[in-house]
Amino acid sequence: MASRLLDGIAYAFFASASVEMVKSYSKDETQATFQTVFAAITTGLGGIIGGAFGGIFIDHMGAPSLYFILFVLCLTAAILFIISNKMSNRPTKKRTSLHIF
């Protein structure tokens, strides 16, 4: 039960970080579109594909194999993100104040 509390906190960090990341890649006039596409892919399409193929994969290869492959994919994505972020010469947007509403 205690691990479920950490899951909620981790999702809060994921949600806020992903909104900021998508915002940094979009122009002011396309921010809403980018956020909508990101949400549709991660929560809609990702859930459908992940649930279907994850179940098929577990039936054929077993859960430990699936979790190992997911670990490798996450590690690869993190490494590629770090490399692309270091190679990027894109200027960061500076914010002067925090707007909550």
Side-chain angles (χ1 to χ4, degrees), residues 7-89:
D7 185 38
I9 293 170
Y11 183 77
F13 284 119
F14 162 74
S16 60
S18 62
V19 166
E20 287 299 316
M21 183 56 88
V22 171
K23 188 174 185 177
S24 73
Y25 280 103
S26 63
K27 296 178 183 173
D28 289 339
E29 58 271 3
T30 60
Q31 284 182 14
T33 304
F34 277 43
Q35 294 292 347
T36 303
V37 169
F38 175 77
I41 289 172
T42 56
T43 59
L45 188 62
I48 293 168
I49 292 173
F53 286 111
I56 293 169
F57 192 88
I58 286 176
D59 286 344
H60 292 308
M61 302 295 288
S65 298
L66 175 67
Y67 287 118
F68 178 74
I69 289 172
L70 293 175
F71 162 74
V72 171
L73 289 174
C74 288
L75 183 64
T76 304
I79 291 169
L80 290 175
F81 173 76
I82 291 169
I83 291 170
S84 70
N85 207 19
K86 288 189 184 283
M87 292 176 58
S88 173
N89 292 328

